[in-house]
Amino acid sequence: MTTAKKRTLQVGIVQQRNSEYADENIDLLERNIAALAEAGAELIVLPELHNTPYFCQVENTDVFNMAESIPGPSTDRYGALAASLRVVLVTSLFERRAPGLYHNTAVVFEKNGTIAGKYRKMHIPDDPGYYEKFYFTPGDLGFKPIDTSVGKLGVLVCWDQWYPEAARLMALYGADVLIYPTAIGFDPRDDDDEKARQKDAWVTVQRGHAVANGIPVVTVNRVGVEPDPGNATAGIEFWGNSFVAGPQGEMLTEADDQPVNQIVEIDMTRSETVRRIWPFFRDRRIDAFQGLVKRFLDET
Amino acid sequence: MTTAKKRTLQVGIVQQRNSEYADENIDLLERNIAALAEAGAELIVLPELHNTPYFCQVENTDVFNMAESIPGPSTDRYGALAASLRVVLVTSLFERRAPGLYHNTAVVFEKNGTIAGKYRKMHIPDDPGYYEKFYFTPGDLGFKPIDTSVGKLGVLVCWDQWYPEAARLMALYGADVLIYPTAIGFDPRDDDDEKARQKDAWVTVQRGHAVANGIPVVTVNRVGVEPDPGNATAGIEFWGNSFVAGPQGEMLTEADDQPVNQIVEIDMTRSETVRRIWPFFRDRRIDAFQGLVKRFLDET
């Protein structure tokens, strides 16, 4: 028997606390990205909507002024940064596609600074403090991994992370790793038990995607309290806790609730080893899965 | 605002160590079931293929002699037991459907002893020591919950537990709880780290189903070492660890690696509360899920 030669990927994660000033946030991101690249990161992942505060706490039409075209100023800047540092970079932008048509879009840059591909967030949440359905049209690019020099990246965004279908489709399209830029936090009014259950559920469901698909998962969250501009709530306490899990769901690293730049080594050959002992793809009952494209199965 | 009145379900789990003698095992099951019923269990769940040793460690045509029709001797016996104890009972039997046609079938009994429904294991594993594809034809009843007086039971079996699609379909059909009779264990030759990863992955992926679907999960495993009748391997060290999780994936109970009868209270109104804060069903991108019925998406 021959064994595939181990191939590793050095993934850098930027768990950042954002201010209300985009310039400050972007400057800090640039420094964090550069530090990780210098330390050897080949792939760097940022949190969701990393340029700004999490602006969906209120519904305000002025906020659309923060959106920009793709390509546009941010892709120019991050593309140049990726090229100068020779890293693959996963960014998360507020895309203005047309007047009145906006998306929550992840853009991936190749090491030469070109846009390797983009993913428009497919599942859009809406609950108190996260009024995303006001701002973002659900994505129309499907669940397609983005081909890069470091592998096929199954980039999904935040709310997508609760959906096994999204992870499965990325894996079926041949993704080598799942990547989730994220902005999730506690309601400060919840008690500690509820907070613990929420964070644990969030980690667990994503580790579950790793297990079910034999694929590593990289999740990068923002961190810190951001006040509600509308003063209707106590704001959001972004919980950080960025993590990387291997293809058996095993935790490779897990951040706490402070800003952190970290490099994590992923063994990219391990998925095949794990899938050989747990060949879930072999046995999927695709003949009996038609119901998955239905909203609910109450009338069959 | 009105809040639904709390409705609880007392679930009894029998984590049992089996001998090679079916009569002994069934006698012990009867005592364990009776003890749980007397202690207040309304629903009792047994491990997979609980009447016998786990017979799939070898491929042997004589083993088919252990299969039986449904209805048949076992359903008569367990039905009578359920009726005498006034409990809903989830059993797991080796079904002989026709000469040369066998299934791994869960049978659920109503409190009056009638068969409430059956589920034929849809995903059939096959790996060293678990030669199930030799014995069991994959199920042809789909992923349909079984209606009972204690709720709609999403009964799945063992290998199904690695498949998010199976859990999702049960939830879409309105299941109130997912139930997994199981027979899973360690290869005694694996090192402790690998054993820990496997058990943790197994718990995690199922808790993930609870989270993704806002539904409680009841998983009952067998326990103890069973030797390989073919002496080709070191046998299987069934790891026990039966557990019950709530609809946020929160652990309600988790057994160790010893036999145990336990009653766990599930709050059956909690799913609705959890689904209101995490309305994942609202946002599923069913327009983009067609790929889920494909084996792999390498030619699109």
Side-chain angles (χ1 to χ4, degrees):
Chain A
M1 285 192 285
T2 59
T3 305
K5 189 168 172 297
K6 184 173 174 179
R7 184 170 63 82
T8 61
L9 178 63
Q10 307 295 325
V11 180
I13 62 180
V14 178
Q15 176 170 298
Q16 184 166 312
R17 176 183 286 128
N18 270 10
S19 80
E20 63 185 296
Y21 304 109
D23 285 354
E24 277 183 17
N25 298 326
I26 296 170
D27 287 347
L28 180 55
L29 285 164
E30 286 198 343
R31 292 196 297 279
N32 287 332
I33 292 165
L36 286 166
E38 281 158 26
E42 303 163 86
L43 168 70
I44 297 177
V45 181
L46 308 181
E48 186 183 13
L49 300 169
H50 45 69
N51 285 357
T52 60
Y54 179 73
F55 52 78
C56 309
Q57 291 199 59
V58 291
E59 299 193 357
N60 178 348
T61 53
D62 290 343
V63 168
F64 289 109
N65 291 326
M66 293 163 47
E68 53 180 309
S69 60
I70 294 174
S74 278
T75 60
D76 287 350
R77 186 159 176 180
Y78 288 110
L81 187 66
S84 73
L85 299 169
R86 304 295 298 166
V87 293
V88 174
L89 181 62
V90 179
T91 64
S92 169
L93 303 174
F94 184 14
E95 179 185 8
R96 178 186 179 280
R97 189 176 180 184
L101 183 58
Y102 304 85
H103 295 285
N104 184 328
T105 302
V107 180
V108 178
F109 298 92
E110 198 30 279
K111 291 179 180 174
N112 63 5
T114 59
I115 293 178
K118 63 180 186 286
Y119 167 80
R120 292 189 176 122
K121 186 173 182 177
M122 291 286 282
H123 294 101
I124 306 296
D126 194 291
D127 54 282
Y130 300 80
Y131 299 108
E132 296 199 17
K133 287 192 194 295
F134 177 73
Y135 292 107
F136 308 126
T137 294
D140 57 351
L141 298 176
F143 300 97
K144 304 273 178 66
I146 295 170
D147 251 321
T148 74
S149 58
V150 299
K152 293 181 86 163
L153 309 185
V155 178
L156 296 160
V157 177
C158 204
W159 193 236
D160 291 320
Q161 60 208 170
W162 302 95
Y163 292 85
E165 293 94 341
R168 178 70 95 199
L169 284 165
M170 284 293 187
L172 293 179
Y173 276 114
D176 296 310
V177 55
L178 297 176
I179 296 175
Y180 294 97
T182 303
I184 192 169
F186 302 121
D187 182 333
R189 297 165 298 188
D190 279 337
D191 64 34
D192 287 348
D193 285 349
E194 177 63 19
K195 289 179 180 178
R197 278 194 302 272
Q198 291 187 4
K199 192 172 71 174
D200 193 29
W202 174 79
V203 171
T204 299
V205 74
Q206 294 176 81
R207 290 179 62 208
H209 303 331
V211 173
N213 296 288
I215 192 170
V217 170
V218 175
T219 293
V220 181
N221 191 18
R222 65 171 67 205
V223 71
V225 175
E226 297 188 16
D228 173 9
N231 292 312
T233 73
I236 302 176
E237 193 181 316
F238 292 100
W239 68 49
N241 211 82
S242 301
F243 68 92
V244 179
Q248 264 179 323
E250 74 276 22
M251 286 300 247
L252 301 179
T253 192
E254 188 170 12
D256 60 12
D257 60 356
Q258 296 300 313
V260 67
N261 296 330
Q262 186 164 357
I263 293 182
V264 188
E265 178 177 293
I266 299 180
D267 176 353
M268 298 298 284
T269 46
R270 193 166 143 66
S271 279
E272 178 147 3
T273 312
V274 169
R275 289 183 188 182
R276 286 183 187 184
I277 65 162
W278 286 340
F280 306 138
F281 288 176
R282 182 189 64 190
D283 295 331
R284 293 173 65 243
R285 288 298 303 274
I286 55 175
D287 60 304
F289 285 173
Q290 294 86 351
L292 295 171
V293 301
K294 300 293 186 186
R295 182 65 60 211
F296 205 67
L297 294 164
D298 42 359
E299 293 182 8
T300 53
Chain B
M1 283 193 288
T2 58
T3 305
K5 189 167 173 297
K6 183 172 174 179
R7 184 171 61 83
T8 61
L9 178 62
Q10 308 294 325
V11 180
I13 61 181
V14 179
Q15 175 170 298
Q16 183 166 314
R17 176 182 286 127
N18 270 10
S19 80
E20 64 184 295
Y21 305 108
D23 284 356
E24 278 184 15
N25 298 326
I26 295 170
D27 286 348
L28 180 56
L29 285 164
E30 286 198 342
R31 292 197 298 277
N32 286 333
I33 293 165
L36 285 167
E38 281 158 27
E42 303 163 86
L43 167 69
I44 297 177
V45 181
L46 308 181
E48 184 183 14
L49 301 169
H50 46 70
N51 284 356
T52 60
Y54 179 72
F55 51 78
C56 308
Q57 291 200 62
V58 292
E59 299 193 356
N60 178 348
T61 53
D62 290 344
V63 168
F64 289 109
N65 292 327
M66 291 163 49
E68 54 181 307
S69 60
I70 294 174
S74 278
T75 61
D76 287 350
R77 187 158 176 181
Y78 288 109
L81 187 65
S84 73
L85 299 169
R86 305 295 298 168
V87 293
V88 174
L89 180 62
V90 179
T91 65
S92 169
L93 303 174
F94 184 15
E95 178 185 8
R96 178 186 179 280
R97 189 175 181 185
L101 181 58
Y102 305 84
H103 294 285
N104 183 328
T105 302
V107 181
V108 177
F109 298 92
E110 201 27 279
K111 289 178 181 174
N112 63 4
T114 58
I115 293 178
K118 63 180 186 285
Y119 166 79
R120 292 189 177 123
K121 187 175 182 177
M122 291 287 280
H123 295 101
I124 306 295
D126 194 293
D127 54 282
Y130 299 81
Y131 299 108
E132 295 198 17
K133 287 191 193 296
F134 177 75
Y135 292 107
F136 307 125
T137 294
D140 57 351
L141 298 176
F143 300 98
K144 305 274 178 67
I146 295 170
D147 251 320
T148 74
S149 57
V150 298
K152 290 179 88 163
L153 308 185
V155 178
L156 295 160
V157 177
C158 203
W159 192 235
D160 291 319
Q161 58 207 172
W162 302 95
Y163 292 84
E165 294 93 340
R168 179 70 95 200
L169 286 164
M170 284 293 187
L172 293 179
Y173 276 113
D176 296 310
V177 55
L178 298 177
I179 296 175
Y180 294 97
T182 303
I184 192 170
F186 301 122
D187 182 335
R189 295 165 301 188
D190 278 336
D191 64 34
D192 286 348
D193 285 349
E194 175 64 20
K195 289 179 182 177
R197 279 194 301 273
Q198 290 187 5
K199 191 172 71 176
D200 193 30
W202 173 79
V203 171
T204 299
V205 75
Q206 294 175 81
R207 290 179 61 207
H209 303 331
V211 173
N213 297 287
I215 192 171
V217 170
V218 176
T219 294
V220 181
N221 192 17
R222 66 170 68 205
V223 71
V225 175
E226 297 188 16
D228 172 9
N231 291 313
T233 74
I236 302 176
E237 193 180 318
F238 291 100
W239 67 48
N241 211 82
S242 301
F243 67 93
V244 179
Q248 265 180 321
E250 74 277 20
M251 288 299 249
L252 301 180
T253 192
E254 188 170 12
D256 61 10
D257 60 355
Q258 296 300 314
V260 67
N261 296 330
Q262 187 164 356
I263 292 182
V264 187
E265 178 177 294
I266 298 180
D267 175 354
M268 298 298 285
T269 46
R270 195 166 142 66
S271 280
E272 178 147 4
T273 312
V274 170
R275 289 183 188 182
R276 286 183 187 184
I277 63 160
W278 286 341
F280 307 137
F281 288 175
R282 182 189 63 189
D283 295 331
R284 294 174 65 241
R285 288 298 303 273
I286 55 174
D287 60 304
F289 286 174
Q290 295 85 354
L292 295 171
V293 300
K294 299 294 185 184
R295 182 63 61 210
F296 205 67
L297 294 165
D298 43 359
E299 294 179 8
T300 52

